């Protein structure tokens, strides 16, 4: 799942990005309100985490503009302002939750998960991705094949989620770099090859038929044999 963090403080932003990525999320980051609003309008995010005090355009203005333009992604506001009237202002601007600073990261994660669950609706099927006998439960963060549990590292989980959401399609390296790693450039490393190899070993070794295929010269494709 993809999350947008709009936060101008470098240390806070790095802390959020690290923790969210460790939690299995793909994280984009904007350093001011104008850039953040542009990203939030142009990409589908599972959650927006917005600092109230931003350069360029303050957080509440960003939220109002997004809601007026029809962006429905759940929004969690972070702010040093913690009085009741400040929280009320944030919620009335269109935020779904308001978390005063300083906060425990465990609480932030719990609130983020609750907002995402609420936005996807009560049907558990909406949080489960399947392909043949491969099953991924996004809420429980569990993967099985033929009923057998598969232990994935956070990045492997993100990679498999992306491939499942594009099942049957050829996914290019550029798509993976942007969609899973959040890179908008090629770092010229073998990071994709390494993770694809590890993922293939975990979901295909010992199972039949193989699901993860390399499409020479194009990318990768996750598909069930027809």
């Amino acid at each position: 799942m993809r999350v947008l963090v709009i936060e101008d403080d470098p240390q806070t932003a790095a802390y959020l990005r690290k923790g969210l990525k460790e939690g299995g999320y793909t994280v984009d980051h904007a350093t001011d309100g104008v850039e953040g609003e542009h990203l939030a309008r142009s990409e589908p995010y599972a959650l927006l985490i917005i600092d109230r005090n931003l350069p360029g355009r303050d957080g509440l203005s960003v939220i109002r503009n997004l809601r007026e333009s029809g962006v429905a992604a759940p929004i969690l506001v972070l702010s040093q302002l913690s009085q009741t009237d400040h929280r009320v202002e944030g919620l009335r601007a269109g935020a779904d939750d308001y978390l005063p600073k300083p906060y425990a990261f465990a609480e932030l994660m719990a609130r983020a998960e609750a907002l995402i669950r609420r936005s996807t609706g009560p049907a558990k099927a909406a949080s489960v991705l399947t392909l043949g006998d491969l099953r991924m439960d996004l809420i429980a963060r569990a993967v099985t094949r033929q009923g057998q549990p598969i232990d994935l590292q956070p990045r492997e989980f993100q990679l498999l989620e992306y491939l499942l959401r594009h099942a049957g399609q050829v996914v290019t390296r550029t798509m993976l770099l942007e969609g899973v790693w959040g890179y908008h450039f090629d770092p010229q490393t073998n990071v994709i090859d390494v993770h694809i190899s590890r993922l293939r070993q975990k979901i295909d070794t010992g199972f039949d038929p193989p699901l993860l295929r390399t499409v020479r010269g194009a990318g990768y494709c996750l598909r069930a044999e027809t």
Side-chain angles (χ1 to χ4, degrees), residues 131 159-173 175-176 196 211-215 218-224:
L131 179 69
L159 178 57
L160 181 58
E161 179 186 351
Y162 190 91
L163 290 167
L164 279 168
R165 291 189 182 280
H166 295 80
Q169 305 172 28
V170 175
V171 176
T172 67
R173 293 176 62 86
M175 291 170 66
L176 290 175
I196 285 286
L211 300 177
L212 182 52
R213 296 168 168 82
T214 299
V215 182
Y220 306 94
C221 181
L222 191 72
R223 69 172 184 267

Side-chain angles (χ1 to χ4, degrees), residues 26-200:
T26 299
V27 185
D28 290 345
H29 173 225
T31 58
D32 63 66
V34 176
E35 179 192 12
E37 185 177 324
H38 173 73
L39 281 175
R41 289 174 184 265
S42 60
E43 298 284 347
Y45 289 101
L47 177 68
L48 308 176
I49 299 177
I50 303 177
D51 183 50
R52 178 166 176 157
N53 185 22
L54 291 168
R57 188 170 297 154
D58 70 271
L60 297 192
S61 295
V62 171
I63 294 168
R64 292 189 190 97
N65 292 344
L66 291 175
R67 292 310 191 211
E68 288 173 3
S69 65
V71 174
I75 296 175
L76 172 61
V77 173
L78 305 178
S79 178
Q80 296 281 3
L81 304 175
S82 59
Q83 295 181 7
T84 299
D85 57 341
H86 295 139
R87 297 197 297 272
V88 169
E89 285 176 350
L91 296 172
R92 284 181 172 167
D96 298 279
D97 201 354
Y98 192 106
L99 184 59
K101 299 178 180 179
Y103 49 82
F105 190 77
E107 181 181 3
L108 183 146
M109 285 293 288
R111 288 176 183 245
E113 290 163 3
L115 289 173
I116 292 172
R117 276 199 307 272
R118 194 184 309 161
S119 70
T120 57
K124 186 166 184 175
S127 66
V128 175
L129 303 176
T130 61
L131 179 69
D133 56 12
L134 180 67
R135 184 179 189 274
M136 169 179 275
D137 188 322
L138 298 173
I139 301 301
R141 301 196 65 75
V143 176
T144 61
R145 185 163 184 195
Q146 296 178 8
Q148 299 182 34
I150 297 173
D151 183 27
L152 298 180
Q153 295 299 313
R155 186 70 74 185
E156 295 165 352
F157 191 94
Q158 290 176 270
L159 178 57
L160 181 58
E161 179 186 351
Y162 190 91
L163 290 167
L164 279 168
R165 291 189 182 280
H166 295 80
Q169 305 172 28
V170 175
V171 176
T172 67
R173 293 176 62 86
T174 299
M175 291 170 66
L176 290 175
L177 284 171
E178 292 185 354
V180 179
W181 278 266
Y183 293 160
H184 297 282
F185 62 94
D186 189 342
Q188 302 296 320
T189 69
N190 66 342
V191 62
I192 291 178
D193 303 311
V194 169
H195 281 81
I196 285 286
S197 177
R198 290 174 180 168
L199 181 61
R200 178 181 281 124

